[in-house]
Amino acid sequence: MGKIALASGAYSAPSLGLPDRLCENAYLERSRTTPDGEVQIMPRPGTLALPDWASAARGYEELSLGGVVKVLAVVGSAIKTYDPATGTVGTITGSIAGTDRVVIKYTEQQIGILGGGIFHVGDLTGIAAVTDPDFAALLADHDQTAFINLMSIGQRFVLQYGSRFCFTAVNDGDNTTALNYYTAEYAPDGLVGGSTIGLRMWHMGGKTGEPWEETGQSDDPYRRSLGQELDVGLRARDCFKNLDGVPYWIDQHNQVRRSGNAAIPDNISGPDVSLIIGATDVEDLVAFTLEFEGHAFYGIHMPTMCPLYDANYGEWTRFLTLQEETWR
């Protein structure tokens, strides 16, 4: 009996007229039962559906605050929690501005939510928009009307706007000053997003990126990591993710990038994946990470498709839900 090659090495049809070669709702796993270590196809894990949130959810985040681990979600303007241990759904007092996709971060004591360009802060008992007038002064000083992204590092919240980012006091998210800001100076391409990974904040512009690190000084807490600048930008804010301590993102040319120790980030997507990404509106590009049974995936949720990259095997797969082309 001959062996049939697995759908590995190409995400989709490499050119018109050729058949697709891809895995759907499956991933590759090295066989533990064959002596030559052949790969086998494994089914993807199941998912837990929260149907009441499906249409109105603006963002999710798993958080650990005061020893309590919960999933926090913004549903419309409401703030919901889900306890995976008990299946209990709760509500946090407060209302989140806007209708856009939110960014949720937290420190040791507080939760920060960016929605509608407005920064909200609080804890599991209540969350509200910040009242310190210096936040508005920081925006106005740079001719901006809204914050675009939120991070947290060193028990402070960090907010991006224009080509600048400002920071709050330690464990006091509703406390800043008109001088609590820095400018991403490597290139004047404007900030798009980024995140904190390990000991660094990654501030990503449309064409370049620059990591920053803590200084240990309370009045001047951050500095640019010299020699670490990237001549690669970020296309979509919600596609910059941390996978096993390594940044993954979609660049301005619709390529999926991974930054290791090299000066030039790896391009881990071929033209087939880039073509799919390029045909999708930037607002519809949402990345996520998934880790299970020794596999680490970087996934991209789009309205009509959900490709995932398996960092362990360097292969792409695609997850679907029933007859839908994307994964719920």
Side-chain angles (χ1 to χ4, degrees), residues 61-229:
E61 183 70 31
E62 183 182 51
L63 59 87
S64 176
L65 200 66
V68 178
V69 178
K70 291 188 177 183
V71 175
L72 188 148
V74 174
V75 184
S77 61
I79 311 162
K80 300 288 187 178
T81 62
Y82 175 77
D83 188 334
T86 63
T88 304
V89 174
T91 300
I92 297 177
T93 301
S95 178
I96 304 301
T99 58
D100 58 334
R101 191 175 298 115
V102 299
V103 182
I104 305 170
K105 300 295 179 181
Y106 62 95
T107 65
E108 189 177 66
Q109 300 179 10
Q110 291 187 310
I111 301 168
I113 302 177
L114 179 64
I118 298 172
F119 180 43
H120 308 71
V121 70
D123 54 29
L124 290 172
T125 63
I127 298 174
V130 292
T131 58
D132 189 333
D134 283 325
F135 285 105
L138 287 163
L139 287 170
D141 183 57
H142 199 51
D143 296 324
Q144 301 294 309
T145 59
F147 295 110
I148 62 169
N149 191 36
L150 171 66
M151 308 182 191
S152 64
I153 186 171
Q155 307 307 317
R156 302 175 190 263
F157 291 107
V158 175
L159 293 137
Q160 294 177 325
Y161 59 105
S163 59
R164 293 182 178 181
F165 60 94
C166 66
F167 57 92
T168 71
V170 174
N171 282 321
D172 189 356
D174 197 357
N175 184 0
T176 189
T177 77
L179 297 178
N180 281 13
Y181 74 89
Y182 294 90
T183 301
E185 298 176 333
Y186 178 58
D189 51 348
L191 291 170
V192 176
S195 186
T196 300
I197 298 179
L199 299 176
R200 287 193 174 102
M201 293 183 293
W202 291 76
H203 291 280
M204 302 297 296
K207 297 180 180 179
T208 63
E210 52 185 81
W212 286 61
E213 58 194 32
E214 293 185 277
T215 64
Q217 303 176 31
S218 59
D219 59 342
D220 187 17
Y222 307 119
R223 66 183 171 212
R224 186 153 53 95
S225 302
L226 297 179
Q228 300 293 313
E229 299 83 1

